[in-house]
Structure formats: structure tokens, C-alpha cells
Amino acid sequence: MRGGHVMILAASFLLLLTPAAHGGGGGGGFTQGQDRLSGIIIPGFASTQLRAWSILDCPYSPLDFNPLDLVWLDTTKLLSAVNCWLKCMLLDPYNQTDHPDCKSRPDSGLSAITELDPGYITGPLSSVWKEWVKWCIEFGIEANAIIAVPYDWRLPPSKLEERDLYFHKLKLTFETALKLRGGPSIVFAHSLGNNVFRYFLEWLKLEIAPKLYMKWLDEHIHAYFAVGAPLLGATETVKATLSGFTFGLPVSEGTARLMFNSFGSSVWMMPFSKHCRTDNGYLKHFSVRSKKGHAAQLCDDHEFQANYSGWPTNIVNIEIPSTRGDEAYPSIIGTAQVNMSDMEYGFPTQLSFSAREVSDGTFVRAIADYDPDSQRLLYQLEESYHRDPVLNPLTPWDRPPLKNIFCIYGVDLKTEVGYYFAPSGKPYPDNWIITDVIYELEGSLYSRSGNLVEGNPGATSGDETVPYHSLSWCKNWLGSKVNITRAPQSEHDGSDVQVQLNVEHQPEMDVIPNMTRSPRVKYITYYEDSESLPGKRTAVWELDKANHRNIVRSSVLMRELWLEMWHDIHPDKKSKFVTKATRGPLRDEDCYWDYGKARCAWPEHCEYRYLFGDVHLGQSCRLKNSSADLLLHYV
């Protein structure tokens, strides 16, 4: 989903790519071979700059669009020439081609993902991971060790390959990184970037010989970090489709809806049932049937025995107006002649739709007589997803066949899981309004007014954007025996660490730890399995109160990634995963002044060392020159 501020988290695990140049940064414990790894960054939705590739004269505005001008995101032109800006952003809703007057293409390299809207005022607000690149440079990371693979996030997966050869280029990127650095790559994906990577793995099956597929993966991919992955979709996609979502931009919800619904990728993140699958795309590719044939969706018995397709509640509850056809969504020109009070004649019918009915097109067909956009949505759903020759992305994930997988997401935040819509009496695109919202929070369901709602809430809630039900699907990739560790997110001495070994885990069932929790402490809970699949490791990390967008800024998560990867390459490691017993400071920024004891906190690791320019005591607290000894605590 919303992938603003996406890839900065990758900087943490890329620290191991070269020996550290910063004396206090913990580089003394590196071993040979650490500089062979590369980091491949796959950004999320709306997290890549788009630049104009045409000349567009904007009337009534001094600002025109010229080749290579920034389109996404140039707020100056958005405010001064919104109609011109929209021409450069919108795609044809059916064939996904550019507007006749303007064409936009994704930028390339790290510059495409550092700041979406560079500038003194807007730059800090739209910064993606620029500051963290500077932080990595302090540790001596080589420039060729960080590789960004931006893409046109407006396109559906098949069009990414058809128009831009994106997956061919991504394959060549992995192969080039292997030749350049001499070792495999670490994949970091955030939000929609995980869907892109999943499609790439399926596309790769058809690109190379079956006997070479696993060999290619083992040679080119060392680890995969899936952060904030909408593994079963995200309910906010439905809201953006029916009523619009502005992403914080100074545009109306109707304009945002027009723009979002012109993108073929808008369907990519639709919620779907965990109980339903389609025909195997790999086998279908070699069958005698046409690739364009409709893929049958097969659901197991649980889909029809349980409520809501396994989700906490129905995704959509919508009132169907009593009028039909053009009267239900009058044109803008004819609005003045339509008496909107006619909508009140008769009683509307409320219909409810589960995740399966959203993803298989049942919901779209039900509102076809009441919404002019339903035809476009149904076309994209069937043409770009149900009939995709490689993969129908609206089906549950299986564990990717990679050696090391880390699934990371935030929990325990108020997250939208269902909506109530009603006709607004206005013309398209403002013909629907949200009358109520259902939230999940701390294992319960609430309406917008605060009333409890019946349903099937999970053990906790999601990350404010993606529901817990979707984020936690990767727990199914764990085996039957799982080791669980819960530790405070902040630096700790190990006294508050809780461990449960060999916890029973049933297939398609959540793993719920029986551990205490202090209301004043934010925890990180690790679910780890290195036994069920020989030679493979799977881990799930749940971070309390970590927001979907801000999780990639979390210094706590970057610390954990750094320690895990450093432990992973150490020849003397004693366990499959890094120990969680203690967490001390790793950088000068982690040291601070303890006013109660009138000294630097963590005296075994930090000391007072004034340097010219320090303006307060905390700035003068720095790591001691014993980084190698410090890191040995985590072997």
C-alpha cells in the first residue's frame, strides 16, 4: 500500500557490505566476505519519482511540463496547474497508455527514491531515505553495493514487463550484482514492492529452465526482507477505489479517485480470501488452453463455513440506491436538471461483500448499474489479474523458495478493516460517501463512533494501513515448532526478555505467545524457525506501535537488521539467529546523558568525549573504541 518513505530500512542491513570506516560504528568485528553482498531495494506504491517525457503547454499557468521535469511529486505544479499535472499522471483505464498530451516515466537510480519532492520546504516532508544513505556512508559502504530498482507503480504487473521489460531488467540487476560484488544479494521490499517481487519469482519460473530455477535463486538471493507486506491485500484499497484517498495531497477526494482508478495497479492490493486459489499459472503456461482463458477460482470448504472469508468482518457494506442507470450517477453537465431529492424516494438496499466477493468481481458486478467506474474496474480485474498468464496476484502466498526470509511489520495500531458506503447524491466521481468505518484495535472491532462490532478480530491489530490478518499471513510460512522471543525495543540488559521454545504451530493458525506485557513498554516479538525446512530459515518480527510508513524509519528495526546480518556472516556464530539477550548502543547516536547519575548512560559502552561543536551533554556521549568487543556480544 502507501509506500511513502519506503526503502530507507534497507540501509541498516547494508551496513555489512563493507568494513566500517566509523570508529564507533561497530566495524571492527567484520570478517572476510562481508563486502561481497549487494542490496536490492524494491520500493512501494507511490514511492518512485515520475518524470515527464513530453512537452506540455499549460494554459493559465506560467509553469509548463518539459522533458525530465518532475511529475510525481511536484507540489508546485500540482497547486498551480492541477489539470496539466493530472494529464501527466493519468493512464488510459483500459490499455494503460499515457494521456495523448503528456507522458511520464519512472526515474532511475537512487535519486528516484531519495526525495519525492526535493526542496528546502518540501524536501524533508517527502524524504524517503536520503538521510539514512548519509548514515550508511559514514560506515564506508561502497556506492555500487546499494542498487535501487524503481518501477512505474501505476501499472499492473503484466504491463510492467510488456512496456518496460521491468522483470527482465530486474533479473539482469541480480546477475550484474553477482558479477560486480562476487556474492548474492539481499532483497528489501516494502508494501507493494513485495507484490512486485512475488510476481518476479513466478515470472522467473517461466524465463529459465526448471532445473536451474532453484540454483539461480541460491546463487543470486541470500535473504529477503518483507516489510509491511499486504500479503492478503489491504482494505484501504477499496476506500481509494470508491471514494478516493488523497495521500495528503491538496486535491479533492473525487480527483484522487479519478487518478487512482486510472492506474491498473489499483487492483493489485485488493483484499482477497486466504481460502481461495486459482489454477497454477506455471502449469497453465504449458497447457494447451489459451493463456487468455478465465482462470477458475477454487475455494476450500472453510470459505463457505466461516464468515467474512477469514477476515475480521465484511470488507464492504454498501447501500444500493432506488434509482438505476444514469439517474444514479448524473453527469456533471446534467446535475442542475436532476432533483437529488429523488434519491430519497424508496428505500435503499444494503448489500455486504466479503474479501472473496471483492477479489472475484462479485462486488463490482453488483454495483455495475450504479457506478460508471465499475466497467473499468471489472475489465482490469479480469484482464490484468484473473487472466494473467504468470500469476493471479489475488491469491494467497506460499513461502518463496529462498534460503532466508524475514517478514517484518508493525502491530497494535488502529487499522481500518471494513466500510459502509451510501450514495451521496452527487455526480461521479463523488457519488459515494463513507457513512461508517470498522476498525480493529487490540483484538477488538469498533465502529467510527466507538461502538463494539461483532466479527472475528485477530489477536491484535495491524499497522494503521494494512490489517493484521493480511500482514501476519507469513506466519503460515513457519513450521510446526516455533521459537518465540519478546524483548523491549529500547536498549536493555536482558532482564525483561521472555523466551518460549518449540511452541506448537498449527497450519493456517496464528501463533499467539503466552507472555506478559507492560503497558509502558514497546516490544518486538520474534517468531523464528530454522528446523522445518532443511537449510532454510524463516522469521517473523512484530513491532509494537510501528506505523506502516514510519516503520522504515525505525532505528530499532535498523539495529535488528544490522545485528542479524552481521551475525549471519560471522564464522563463529553459535546459533541460527542472533541472540536477543541484551541490546546495547551500537552508534554514537545511541549514547545519551543520564542526568540522574550525572554521567553517560551505558558506561560500559559509552563515555564522555567532548568534540568542538557539541551543544549539549548528550552529544558528547560517544561509544568507546571497542566496537569489536561490543559486537561479540551478539555472536
Side-chain angles (χ1 to χ4, degrees), residues 203-263:
W203 171 88
L204 194 64
K205 288 182 181 180
L206 309 179
E207 185 65 20
I208 61 179
K211 293 183 179 180
L212 301 178
Y213 179 68
M214 290 304 305
K215 180 181 178 183
W216 192 97
L217 293 181
D218 292 340
E219 289 179 351
H220 293 85
I221 301 177
H222 172 72
Y224 167 41
F225 289 87
V227 179
L231 300 175
L232 297 178
T235 51
E236 277 195 351
T237 309
V238 177
K239 179 173 71 173
T241 300
L242 283 189
S243 65
F245 188 84
T246 64
F247 301 97
L249 299 177
V251 296
S252 67
E253 289 186 344
T255 300
R257 183 190 181 193
L258 282 172
M259 182 177 67
F260 183 76
N261 286 350
S262 75
F263 304 156

Side-chain angles (χ1 to χ4, degrees), residues 313-325:
T313 184
N314 285 321
I315 305 299
V316 180
N317 303 276
I318 190 167
E319 290 184 2
I320 300 300
S322 57
T323 56
R324 301 178 66 86

Side-chain angles (χ1 to χ4, degrees), residues 96-369:
Q96 294 295 281
T97 56
D98 300 279
H99 191 280
D101 296 335
C102 189
K103 178 188 298 184
S104 297
R105 289 295 180 269
D107 203 352
S108 59
L110 288 173
S111 62
I113 59 175
T114 50
E115 286 181 347
L116 296 179
D117 189 13
Y120 288 107
I121 298 177
T122 58
L125 301 177
S126 65
S127 178
V128 181
W129 61 304
K130 180 179 180 180
E131 295 302 319
W132 296 103
V133 170
K134 294 180 181 178
W135 181 75
C136 289
I137 292 174
E138 294 179 6
F139 287 80
I141 295 178
E142 293 292 338
N144 60 11
I146 308 176
I147 305 173
V149 284
Y151 57 95
D152 194 334
W153 40 268
R154 302 172 298 171
L155 296 176
S158 57
K159 291 295 182 181
L160 281 176
E161 179 62 20
E162 178 183 324
R163 195 195 75 179
D164 298 339
L165 292 178
Y166 177 78
F167 298 110
H168 269 96
K169 294 177 182 178
L170 183 55
K171 177 176 178 286
L172 290 175
T173 299
F174 281 105
E175 294 170 350
T176 302
L178 178 62
K179 292 181 179 180
L180 182 66
R181 308 281 298 176
S185 298
I186 300 170
V187 178
F188 173 82
H190 178 263
S191 194
L192 180 63
N194 293 281
N195 298 28
V196 173
F197 183 61
R198 178 199 185 188
Y199 191 91
F200 168 72
L201 293 178
E202 295 297 323
W203 171 88
L204 194 64
K205 288 182 181 180
L206 309 179
E207 185 65 20
I208 61 179
K211 293 183 179 180
L212 301 178
Y213 179 68
M214 290 304 305
K215 180 181 178 183
W216 192 97
L217 293 181
D218 292 340
E219 289 179 351
H220 293 85
I221 301 177
H222 172 72
Y224 167 41
F225 289 87
V227 179
L231 300 175
L232 297 178
T235 51
E236 277 195 351
T237 309
V238 177
K239 179 173 71 173
T241 300
L242 283 189
S243 65
F245 188 84
T246 64
F247 301 97
L249 299 177
V251 296
S252 67
E253 289 186 344
T255 300
R257 183 190 181 193
L258 282 172
M259 182 177 67
F260 183 76
N261 286 350
S262 75
F263 304 156
S265 62
S266 63
V267 183
W268 208 343
M269 299 168 286
M270 282 289 185
F272 52 88
S273 173
K274 66 181 181 180
H275 301 304
C276 300
R277 297 178 180 270
T278 55
D279 295 337
N280 187 290
Y282 181 70
L283 298 177
K284 182 175 62 175
H285 182 80
F286 294 101
S287 69
V288 295
R289 296 188 305 171
S290 170
K291 297 179 185 179
K292 290 296 182 180
H294 186 75
Q297 190 176 49
L298 305 175
C299 301
D300 59 32
D301 294 339
H302 293 90
E303 172 64 27
F304 306 101
Q305 294 172 355
N307 295 325
Y308 319 125
S309 295
W311 283 69
T313 184
N314 285 321
I315 305 299
V316 180
N317 303 276
I318 190 167
E319 290 184 2
I320 300 300
S322 57
T323 56
R324 301 178 66 86
D326 294 337
E327 294 181 359
Y329 43 88
S331 65
I332 297 177
I333 297 177
T335 303
Q337 287 75 31
V338 176
N339 183 0
M340 286 305 157
S341 63
D342 290 344
M343 300 291 290
E344 300 174 3
Y345 296 162
F347 296 96
T349 301
Q350 180 170 296
L351 302 177
S352 299
F353 299 91
S354 65
R356 173 182 59 82
E357 293 168 324
V358 170
S359 62
D360 68 7
T362 302
F363 162 64
V364 181
R365 295 184 185 94
I367 64 170
D369 292 332

Side-chain angles (χ1 to χ4, degrees), residues 424-480:
S424 66
K426 297 179 180 179
Y428 175 85
D430 298 310
N431 54 312
W432 300 108
I433 59 171
I434 297 177
T435 59
D436 205 353
V437 181
I438 301 175
Y439 300 95
E440 61 177 3
L441 178 63
E442 298 177 351
S444 300
L445 299 178
Y446 296 89
S447 66
R448 189 159 54 183
S449 59
N451 297 322
L452 281 172
V453 177
E454 292 185 1
N456 300 320
T460 183
S461 52
D463 64 1
E464 201 170 337
T465 298
V466 182
Y468 174 77
H469 172 78
S470 180
L471 293 166
S472 62
W473 175 252
C474 55
K475 284 186 177 181
N476 290 282
W477 302 347
L478 298 166
S480 58

Side-chain angles (χ1 to χ4, degrees), residues 601-621:
W602 296 90
E604 62 272 27
H605 302 307
C606 302
E607 64 181 0
Y608 181 85
R609 191 165 70 249
Y610 173 81
L611 295 179
F612 180 76
D614 293 346
V615 296
H616 58 79
L617 293 172
Q619 279 187 301
S620 299
C621 292

